[in-house]
Amino acid sequence: MATPLPSENTFDHVRALDGEHVGYIHMTDDGGFVPFDLLHRQRGEVSELDEAEALLDELGLRLLAEDWWLDLDGERVKVLIREVRRATVSVSPALTGPIAKSIDLTKTIELLLPTDRLHQAG
């Protein structure tokens, strides 16, 4: 299924426990629900609403702390996510050194969502 954002059949999912926006849920024409993370990636199949919500609740904001690869000028560059907004994500190159999860604060790359240039490291 292609990412349906934005769509009148897609709504924000806010985790009840802490009020964090953790993704989107798309309602299909036949009344099913499909969970999408903050990067507009489909994270599960068509299911009941409570199942889609539970999946997004479990995923939470983990993706923001993970390592990522960005396709940039014909190569893959290690980046970290700085900020996610409804239509864009900002990333910065990861730095190697004694401090874990350091980024180059002088370089920010803004990508429109959804994007096929960003890949989870692992």
Side-chain angles (χ1 to χ4, degrees):
M1 166 183 273
T3 306
L5 300 174
S7 164
E8 63 187 37
N9 292 337
T10 302
F11 53 92
D12 294 351
H13 175 63
V14 176
R15 189 169 46 199
L17 178 66
D18 56 11
E20 286 290 342
H21 177 224
V22 292
Y24 306 95
I25 296 178
H26 176 75
M27 187 172 70
T28 64
D29 291 339
D30 61 357
F33 298 89
V34 183
F36 288 83
D37 66 20
L38 292 174
L39 297 178
H40 302 204
R41 298 175 308 155
Q42 184 173 336
R43 297 307 298 251
E45 298 303 318
V46 176
S47 63
E48 296 296 319
L49 178 59
D50 59 342
E51 293 172 37
E53 290 176 327
L55 190 142
L56 290 175
D57 287 350
E58 182 182 326
L59 290 172
L61 300 175
R62 277 184 289 185
L63 67 94
L64 301 179
E66 294 176 356
D67 294 328
W68 293 85
W69 292 103
L70 174 66
D71 293 335
L72 184 66
D73 301 326
E75 63 179 287
R76 282 208 168 159
V77 178
K78 192 173 187 179
V79 295
L80 294 174
I81 294 175
R82 291 186 69 173
E83 184 177 10
V84 178
R85 290 173 295 290
R86 177 173 289 282
T88 61
V89 59
S90 299
V91 299
S92 289
L95 299 175
T96 56
I99 301 174
K101 303 286 184 181
S102 297
I103 59 172
D104 183 345
L105 294 173
T106 65
K107 296 179 183 172
T108 300
I109 301 161
E110 190 99 0
L111 303 167
L112 292 175
L113 291 174
T115 181
D116 59 356
R117 294 178 53 201
L118 200 56
H119 312 276
Q120 282 183 284

